[in-house]
Amino acid sequence: MDAYFYKSVKEELTQHILPYWEKYAKDTATGGFFGNIDNNNIQDKNESRTIVMTSRFLWAYSAAARLFKETSYLDMAEYAFTAMMHQFFDKENGGFFWSVNPDGTPCVLKKQIYGEAFATYALSEYAAALVEVKKETLQPFAVIDKALAMFSLIERYARDLEYGGYVEACAENWKPTADLRLSDKDIDCGKSMNTNLHVMEAYTNLYRNVAIVYPEQTGTKQLIGKALEALVRVTATKILQKNGHLGVYFNKDWSRIDNEISYGHDIEASWLLWEAANELADEKLMSEIRPVSIRMAMIELEEGFDKATGGFENTFINGMQNKTRIWWNQAEAVNGFYTAWELTGGDNFKEAFQLVWKWIKEHQSDTKNGDWFWAVDENGVPDLTQPKGGNWKTAYHNARCCMELLRRSGNEDC
């Protein structure tokens, strides 16, 4: 790869994405983050705020601090951590409320496992950043202990020991609940691909980072590793279907209740599966997952990638392909095709991630008002009815895409 590509990635991250959220996301009057920001960067002060959004900010700026060894990014991370612990943390039952009101009081109190996973993911990254960048000696232990407590709660109350994987949600007190839906757009189901995918992501990060704070606690790392390996296998054998696409919604026994193909989740899972197997460094598991990841990426290359424009499609449902280019799909396509290129050396994958990046720079990135448009049609016209930021759109997907490419290539200093 030429240096210009990585320079473009770094500039997008450090000059466009990260500064945008530092400037517009924080509601300093309440100590939280705005739950909705429109395309003119006007914040809605009345929108509730989720643990997912807050955790994603904590992760993104902790990860940036680690990548660039830059303490200034920890200001945003510390702000997010304070918001999480003061507003979302359930002092009575443990874990984090799904959402809070603008004033920081609890709104939706249930324990949505998707949200608990992101909290775990972010806390372990922040703990590692405190060790590596801030050179703290005490606080990292307190932070990683919170992440480990989350792991214990998820394992105790959300893991399905009969069929494998993790349930969608628990009540405030971690008891079973009938209120399972992640959002208004989701089907009410016992288990979902999306929740289990991000539990896997969280456990991969926790497995990697716990040794940075507690290098001597090999037993704890092994416990996380066993849970992670089990989830990798569930993803590859239960969630992944014979056609090479992920199922999206399931009953508890993994019987499928949808007919959707989500191209973005497929390509995201292709690299997250490999990341998990690679992190575990189990040669047998890696030999099993490597061809799975490559096959998934190849199918997405053939079915979800529009080579003529460089854009990456959205979904395929009931015989209809949705060609809307969603911001996070583009980021995950770059990452997934880049990973497939690393695994195979294939010029087809290299061309694909370069073309998607070109699409992003020319159409998805908002050069006037900052960050990326939520959605752009196949002709490059942005949908301005969708928010620029808020509860579902933060610095997570696009910043992670950029940081993965820079970290893996060693071009963070380009």
Side-chain angles (χ1 to χ4, degrees), residues 247-263:
V248 181
Y249 302 106
F250 301 86
N251 292 312
K252 185 178 180 182
D253 63 0
W254 292 112
S255 56
R256 190 174 176 185
I257 56 176
D258 77 289
N259 63 354
E260 176 179 341
I261 292 174
S262 174
Y263 297 122

Side-chain angles (χ1 to χ4, degrees), residues 50-53 55-56 96 98 110-121 150 154 158 166-170 174 180-183 186 192-199 201-202 265 268 327-328 391-392 396-397:
T50 65
I51 186 60
V52 172
M53 172 179 64
S55 298
R56 286 174 170 180
F96 295 85
W98 173 249
K110 66 176 177 174
K111 304 298 161 52
Q112 199 77 38
I113 304 307
Y114 182 93
E116 306 303 312
F118 269 102
T120 308
Y121 177 65
M150 286 306 312
I154 294 170
Y166 297 82
V167 301
E168 280 299 284
C170 298
W174 292 94
L180 298 172
R181 292 180 68 184
L182 180 62
S183 75
D186 291 287
S192 75
M193 165 273 296
N194 205 12
T195 290
N196 281 270
L197 181 66
H198 291 291
V199 172
E201 175 188 32
H265 286 111
E268 182 180 24
W327 96 95
W328 69 267
N391 284 319
W392 290 105
Y396 162 66
H397 282 286

Side-chain angles (χ1 to χ4, degrees), residues 6-242:
Y6 294 111
K7 182 179 179 182
S8 173
V9 170
K10 184 175 181 180
E11 287 179 351
E12 184 70 17
L13 174 65
T14 60
Q15 298 180 26
H16 197 205
I17 298 170
L18 295 174
Y20 175 85
W21 301 102
E22 289 174 305
K23 184 175 182 179
Y24 293 108
K26 292 188 291 185
D27 180 4
T28 54
T30 66
F33 295 95
F34 293 106
N36 186 285
I37 306 170
D38 73 11
N39 284 279
N40 292 314
N41 300 330
I42 297 174
Q43 302 104 332
D44 183 352
K45 298 179 180 180
N46 298 314
E47 183 77 22
S48 61
R49 295 93 191 269
T50 65
I51 186 60
V52 172
M53 172 179 64
T54 310
S55 298
R56 286 174 170 180
F57 282 128
L58 176 59
W59 176 85
Y61 288 87
S62 298
R66 294 182 69 192
L67 179 66
F68 298 116
K69 302 295 185 289
E70 178 55 65
T71 58
S72 63
Y73 288 121
L74 287 176
D75 292 342
M76 185 75 156
E78 289 168 3
Y79 180 93
F81 176 73
T82 300
M84 281 179 61
M85 299 312 302
H86 287 183
Q87 299 182 359
F88 290 90
F89 183 65
D90 183 346
K91 298 179 178 63
E92 181 177 350
N93 300 294
F96 295 85
F97 301 125
W98 173 249
S99 66
V100 299
N101 296 307
D103 64 1
T105 57
C107 181
V108 176
L109 280 63
K110 66 176 177 174
K111 304 298 161 52
Q112 199 77 38
I113 304 307
Y114 182 93
E116 306 303 312
F118 269 102
T120 308
Y121 177 65
L123 287 167
S124 72
E125 191 73 14
Y126 183 48
L130 290 172
V131 171
E132 294 177 348
V133 184
K134 206 171 182 181
K135 310 299 183 183
E136 288 275 359
T137 56
L138 296 178
Q139 191 181 7
F141 295 101
V143 176
I144 201 69
D145 284 349
K146 290 177 173 62
L148 293 172
M150 286 306 312
F151 170 76
S152 296
L153 286 167
I154 294 170
E155 287 298 294
R156 181 177 180 182
Y157 294 111
R159 186 171 181 177
D160 182 354
L161 297 177
E162 181 178 5
Y163 295 105
Y166 297 82
V167 301
E168 280 299 284
C170 298
E172 176 188 1
N173 61 358
W174 292 94
K175 300 297 182 182
T177 179
D179 183 12
L180 298 172
R181 292 180 68 184
L182 180 62
S183 75
D184 293 339
K185 297 180 180 179
D186 291 287
I187 295 175
D188 190 16
C189 65
K191 294 173 182 170
S192 75
M193 165 273 296
N194 205 12
T195 290
N196 281 270
L197 181 66
H198 291 291
V199 172
M200 183 176 71
E201 175 188 32
Y203 282 9
T204 302
N205 212 40
L206 181 61
Y207 181 82
R208 177 167 48 223
N209 290 333
V210 68
I212 294 173
V213 184
Y214 285 126
E216 74 284 358
Q217 289 196 10
T218 55
T220 300
K221 185 172 182 178
Q222 289 173 352
L223 190 65
I224 299 165
K226 287 180 180 179
L228 176 59
E229 180 183 355
L231 186 50
V232 168
R233 295 190 183 281
V234 163
T235 303
T237 60
K238 302 295 185 182
I239 300 176
L240 183 63
Q241 306 296 293
K242 291 181 179 180

Side-chain angles (χ1 to χ4, degrees), residues 262-269 300 312-314 328-329 332-333:
S262 174
Y263 297 122
H265 286 111
D266 284 356
I267 195 65
E268 182 180 24
E300 294 315 300
F312 193 73
E313 317 289 22
N314 187 14
W328 69 267
N329 289 18
E332 296 307 330

